[in-house]
Each structure stands twice: as C-alpha cells, then as structure tokens.
Amino acid sequence: CSHCACYGNFVDNLRLYVRGGTGGMALPRLGGHGGNGGNVWVVATQNMTLKRIKDKYPLKRFVGGSGANSSVRALKGEKGKDEEILAPIGITVTSDDGRILGELNAEGDRVLVAKGGSGGTPCSSFEPKKGQVKHIRLDLKLIADLGLVGFPNAGKSSLLTALSNATPQIASYAFTTLRPEIGKVAYPDYKQISIADLPGLIEGAHLNRGMGHKFLKHVERTKQLLFVVDVGGFQLASKTPRRSAFEAVQLLTKELELYKEELVSKPSLLVVNKMDLPEADQMLEELKEQLQNPEEFTNLLPDDMIPKNFITFRHVVPISALTGFGVDHLKSCIRLSLDEYAAMETGATHQKKLQALRQQSHECFRNEDKVSLSSGVGGTRRATS
C-alpha cells in the first residue's frame, strides 16, 4: 500500500488526510458571527480495524463540516458538524513528522487531529478562517497481556493454539506467521488472559530486517513477554550459523534491547519448546546452567550481539506444544506471573496515593501553624495597643 503498512491482510499503519471545517461568514450589516467549522476527531471503538477504515474510505480523506453563515434569522451561525474517525483501541496518532498527537488506550478515548476554522466576526473583518489541514498516521500497537517473542519456527503458533482459542497458520518452515494473532486463555474462575503471537524475529530485526519494526512495535504495549525457544536450537537457513537455545535467548534479548532498551525490563517468562525431541532433557539442563551464569558463556555470541543486561526469567517452563506436555503448568505460571505483577502495580499505586495524602496533610498542618502564628502575633499587638 502506498499510504499504509500492511502484511497479509493485516494493516497496522494508515496515513490519512484530515481537514477541519471552514468557519461561516459573518453578517457585516448587523454585526453577526459566523459558526465555527467542525473539528476532526479520532475515536477508539471496539471491533474496528485499520483495514476496515482503509476499505470503507479508499480516498482516506476526512473533513469537518462548514460553520453556518450568520443571517438575519440567526445572527450567531451554528457550528459545523464534527467528523469522527472510528479507529481500533491501541492506536497512537502521530503527525507526518512523527510528533505524537495522542493515544487511544480504551474505548471512547478521543484525539483532536484537525481543528475547525473560526467563524467571521467584527474582529476578523467578518471574514471566516479555514480549518487546520494535515496528514496524520494511525499506528496500531497491539495491547495484550503477553507477547510471544521468538525466532521463526520456534513453535509460537503451535503454542498459541495449545493455550488458547486462536487458530494461527502452522507449518514446519519459517515465517508462517505473517500477521499478529491474539488468543484468549480462559481459566476455571473465568479470568481471561490475552496472548499475542507476532511475526518471528530474525537477527538484525532492530535494523528493520525481516518483519523488523512491524513486529517489535507490538511488543511495546504487552504487559509481559513470553520468550519461546526451540530446545534444539535454531537455524534460519543453510548459509546462516546454527544457534543453541541459549544463544537464541540472548540474541532475542539483544534485538529487543537495540530496538528499545526499556523492553528488556518487562517481566519475562521463558518457554523451552519441543521437549519431545531426542536428548531434550540433556539440552534443557545445559540451557538452565547457562542461564544461571550467562556472563560465563558470552564467548558463544558475536561481540556486537551480547546484551547489556541479561534477562532473569520469572519462570523457565519446558513444554511440547505438539504433545501437550507442560502446557497446563505453563498456563499456571502465566497466571501466577501476571497476578504477581498486578499486585505489585496495585501496591505501588497505593503507596503513591498514601504519599500524596501525607504530603497534603503535612501542608495543611503547616498552613494551620502559619495561621495560628499570625493570629497570635495580631492578638499581642492588639493587647499592647
């Protein structure tokens, strides 16, 4: 697409033309005021996609209504009708130069993208003004509890199928995931957790190779990361070096770090897949030993691909997405990790509120002391006089 980024039938970036409505004419003879032009808004809506916007509005133009002219019957012209662009939740709205105009994180969130022109008034010599004109970009970053992170063919799609109700494409070759898939994991107490399976990374993804930034940007809004590696290692092609499971973990970490360093500070779990392979137990023990002291094994990595900070995983879970081994245990670990994270966030929020109340109380007492001191001084003066 010339003005949108898409892969498969999935669109995650759309460029639109927006223009606020022109203000209405004033009525010089009676000193009337023209109505202001309508604004253009982007509004978060459930069950909406960027592809639906693209298909429904092929010209990708959105214009606010013109303000009504002043007249003998209505000296104050009515405001033009606002134009609303219904967009999916998880959108970042930016200008063409990359400046962030706003974000849509919940249903009903609104971002003003083009203001209507003001109507004519005596101060403007009764001449109306035109509305703002600009190009904007709607950039979708998926919001999910967990984001699956792994090289192609690590078994992410198979894992998502085993965990949830999603049915992504699965095959024994790389890059079967060409667009994000979100699955819901249901628990007996009716709690649901969303997991996003995203296009596989390759070495150099931070430089926008392979799926590059199309993948990495979606990691930003997930609460936690779920690394998925093949216990037997990974090789993208015959001409590329084979990487062990330990190397795969560290290379994934480095790709995230090079794209945006704060990503590696997210709470993370590690899934070691394909435990049905021969000698899988031995390879798993070797991986665990390497993860306990990663600094001792940096010689296995290219110098420019050694992470600044090694990730300490909350849980390391061996599974076989093919046979179902370990999947129920993984579901329990995911739930435990997210519940712990939510409790920490709640505790931090309570601490902030408590600190604010203490500060407020301290200021109140300090102000009362000032008032009391001032009253005492005044009383002494009056008594003296």
Side-chain angles (χ1 to χ4, degrees), residues 310-385:
F310 295 99
I311 293 178
T312 301
F313 294 99
R314 287 171 173 251
H315 302 276
V316 177
V317 188
I319 70 151
S320 170
L322 181 64
T323 66
F325 164 76
V327 172
D328 287 339
H329 178 54
L330 175 59
K331 288 177 68 173
S332 299
C333 290
I334 289 171
R335 178 67 183 272
L336 178 62
S337 182
L338 285 169
D339 286 350
E340 288 174 347
Y341 179 72
M344 287 174 58
E345 277 196 323
T346 302
T349 302
H350 286 168
Q351 283 294 328
K352 285 182 180 179
K353 288 182 178 179
L354 186 60
Q355 189 174 359
L357 285 172
R358 286 173 177 167
Q359 182 69 23
Q360 190 176 2
S361 299
H362 180 69
E363 289 178 359
C364 286
F365 284 131
R366 190 165 57 187
N367 290 336
E368 285 178 5
D369 289 343
K370 286 181 180 178
V371 170
S372 299
L373 183 61
S374 175
S375 300
V377 171
T380 302
R381 286 178 178 171
R382 285 194 296 273
T384 304
S385 60

Side-chain angles (χ1 to χ4, degrees), residues 111-385:
V111 176
L112 177 64
V113 292
K115 195 172 181 180
S118 56
T121 66
C123 294
S124 65
S125 302
F126 303 99
E127 290 295 323
K129 292 185 178 179
K130 294 182 178 180
Q132 291 180 327
V133 179
K134 64 181 74 169
H135 282 93
I136 62 168
R137 292 184 181 272
L138 305 184
D139 191 30
L140 177 64
K141 297 178 182 177
L142 293 179
I143 299 176
D145 295 309
L146 285 169
L148 297 182
V149 180
F151 287 120
N153 210 27
K156 300 189 305 302
S157 297
S158 299
L159 174 60
L160 189 65
T161 301
L163 284 171
S164 73
N165 57 359
T167 54
Q169 183 184 357
I170 299 170
S172 58
Y173 53 87
F175 297 116
T176 53
T177 302
L178 297 177
R179 63 187 181 89
E181 296 273 358
I182 290 187
K184 295 283 186 180
V185 181
Y187 289 85
D189 62 354
Y190 303 106
K191 169 78 173 179
Q192 287 195 338
I193 288 171
S194 57
I195 300 182
D197 175 24
L198 305 160
L201 287 172
I202 63 170
E203 292 179 45
H206 67 282
L207 300 173
N208 211 16
R209 294 174 186 160
M211 295 296 180
H213 295 172
K214 292 177 183 178
F215 164 86
L216 289 164
K217 71 173 185 178
H218 291 299
V219 178
E220 293 181 46
R221 287 197 177 182
T222 57
K223 294 178 183 176
Q224 299 191 12
L225 303 179
L226 193 64
F227 283 63
V228 183
V229 297
D230 184 331
V231 69
F234 165 70
Q235 186 175 21
L236 181 64
S238 59
K239 295 182 179 179
T240 60
R242 184 166 190 83
R243 303 297 189 187
S244 67
F246 172 76
E247 290 175 88
V249 169
Q250 306 311 332
L251 290 171
L252 288 168
T253 302
K254 188 63 177 181
E255 289 296 343
L256 294 176
E257 189 178 79
L258 289 172
Y259 175 72
K260 189 164 285 189
E261 198 163 333
E262 55 265 33
L263 288 180
V264 297
S265 65
K266 286 179 180 285
S268 301
L269 297 84
L270 174 61
V271 174
V272 185
N273 194 17
K274 304 188 182 181
M275 288 300 295
D276 52 288
L277 294 177
E279 301 181 358
D281 290 336
Q282 181 181 339
M283 290 186 284
L284 175 63
E285 290 306 313
E286 182 182 357
L287 171 61
K288 286 183 176 179
E289 181 185 346
Q290 291 170 327
L291 290 174
Q292 286 179 353
N293 301 289
E295 296 85 357
E296 296 180 10
F297 299 93
T298 53
N299 61 299
L300 300 174
L301 300 164
D303 291 340
D304 60 343
M305 291 306 290
I306 298 173
K308 291 181 182 177
N309 298 293
F310 295 99
I311 293 178
T312 301
F313 294 99
R314 287 171 173 251
H315 302 276
V316 177
V317 188
I319 70 151
S320 170
L322 181 64
T323 66
F325 164 76
V327 172
D328 287 339
H329 178 54
L330 175 59
K331 288 177 68 173
S332 299
C333 290
I334 289 171
R335 178 67 183 272
L336 178 62
S337 182
L338 285 169
D339 286 350
E340 288 174 347
Y341 179 72
M344 287 174 58
E345 277 196 323
T346 302
T349 302
H350 286 168
Q351 283 294 328
K352 285 182 180 179
K353 288 182 178 179
L354 186 60
Q355 189 174 359
L357 285 172
R358 286 173 177 167
Q359 182 69 23
Q360 190 176 2
S361 299
H362 180 69
E363 289 178 359
C364 286
F365 284 131
R366 190 165 57 187
N367 290 336
E368 285 178 5
D369 289 343
K370 286 181 180 178
V371 170
S372 299
L373 183 61
S374 175
S375 300
V377 171
T380 302
R381 286 178 178 171
R382 285 194 296 273
T384 304
S385 60

Side-chain angles (χ1 to χ4, degrees), residues 5-7 10-14 50 138-140 214 217-218:
C6 57
Y7 33 108
F10 183 79
V11 179
D12 68 356
N13 187 282
L14 199 58
L50 292 184
L138 305 184
D139 191 30
L140 177 64
K214 292 177 183 178
K217 71 173 185 178
H218 291 299

